[in-house]
Amino acid sequence: MTLHVQFVTLGMMYAGGLALGGLYDVYRVLSGQLKVRAWLRAVLDLLYWLIGTLLVFILLYESNWGEVRPFIFLGLGIGITFYFLVFSRTMIRVIRFMIRAVLAAIRFGKRTVQLLIIKPALAMYRIVVIFLGFLAATAIFLYKIVLQLLYPVWKLLLWLLKPFGRWIRFRVSVPAWVLKTGQNIAAWLRRLF
């Protein structure tokens, strides 16, 4: 392995250390903010180490075809240490800001859906119910007026047909159930007026 390849490998491992530190901060802040359960945290730990191992392996393979030397661990250690000394606080602030921005966007989306879809639908429903109630009240009112207007005509019609009723009663035999039904309707009309 040439000196140039060793320096490239050291630089790649330094970058890998920075990436591992950043990935760890992302994992740490997200698991803290989302309040992950203990069993899921163990799964996420395994996932972090799997991703970190794959990252280091890919970097190592690209820089020196996968040869492991002591300076590789030195580069990783320097990169992680430098990251935690210089970039960690800024990265944590950025991650928290991004979480707040995503939560604010979700709240904005919910509020927008509520204002643009749900509230107008409820208002439309209430308007339709009020309109139908108004139509029903108007129909009942008109029905009562028509009944009041037809009451004298009905009385006149009954008075005019009374002689024919006596004549029909004597001339035509009417079944008992028809008479009973007629009496019930007459009683109902008397109660109504």
Side-chain angles (χ1 to χ4, degrees), residues 100-110:
R100 285 194 304 270
V102 167
L103 292 176
I106 290 171
R107 281 193 304 271
F108 177 75
K110 283 182 181 178

Side-chain angles (χ1 to χ4, degrees), residues 29-47:
V29 172
L30 282 178
S31 67
Q33 291 288 325
L34 300 177
K35 295 176 180 55
V36 177
R37 293 184 177 171
W39 66 270
L40 187 58
R41 189 171 293 218
V43 171
L44 291 175
D45 283 342
L46 288 173
L47 186 65

Side-chain angles (χ1 to χ4, degrees), residues 18-86:
L18 288 174
L20 284 175
L23 188 62
Y24 179 72
D25 273 346
V26 168
Y27 162 68
R28 182 174 57 164
V29 172
L30 282 178
S31 67
Q33 291 288 325
L34 300 177
K35 295 176 180 55
V36 177
R37 293 184 177 171
W39 66 270
L40 187 58
R41 189 171 293 218
V43 171
L44 291 175
D45 283 342
L46 288 173
L47 186 65
Y48 167 76
W49 284 112
L50 178 69
I51 292 172
T53 303
L54 285 174
L55 175 73
V56 170
F57 176 74
I58 290 171
L59 290 174
L60 190 60
Y61 185 76
E62 290 295 322
S63 64
N64 70 356
W65 302 282
E67 292 182 25
V68 179
R69 302 279 173 96
F71 63 87
I72 291 171
F73 299 108
L74 179 69
L76 283 172
I78 291 171
I80 291 173
T81 305
F82 185 74
Y83 172 81
F84 280 113
L85 290 176
V86 177

Side-chain angles (χ1 to χ4, degrees), residues 136-150:
T138 305
I140 291 171
F141 177 71
L142 291 175
Y143 172 73
K144 287 184 178 183
I145 287 176
V146 168
L147 284 180
Q148 291 294 328
L149 291 175
L150 290 178

Side-chain angles (χ1 to χ4, degrees), residues 73-127:
F73 299 108
L74 179 69
L76 283 172
I78 291 171
I80 291 173
T81 305
F82 185 74
Y83 172 81
F84 280 113
L85 290 176
V86 177
F87 297 120
S88 182
R89 288 187 181 147
T90 306
M91 185 67 162
I92 289 173
R93 285 189 199 123
V94 168
I95 295 168
R96 286 184 178 160
F97 172 75
M98 288 173 62
I99 289 172
R100 285 194 304 270
V102 167
L103 292 176
I106 290 171
R107 281 193 304 271
F108 177 75
K110 283 182 181 178
R111 186 73 176 147
T112 302
V113 166
Q114 185 178 14
L115 287 176
L116 295 179
I117 295 173
I118 295 173
K119 287 204 177 200
L122 287 175
M124 186 63 70
Y125 170 74
R126 288 181 182 141
I127 288 171

Side-chain angles (χ1 to χ4, degrees), residues 143 147 151 154-155 158 176-193:
Y143 172 73
L147 284 180
Y151 183 70
W154 176 254
K155 283 292 190 178
L158 285 178
W177 65 272
V178 173
L179 288 174
K180 184 70 172 163
T181 305
Q183 290 171 354
N184 288 339
I185 291 172
W188 178 74
L189 288 173
R190 277 189 232 106
R191 277 186 270 140
L192 190 61
F193 301 110

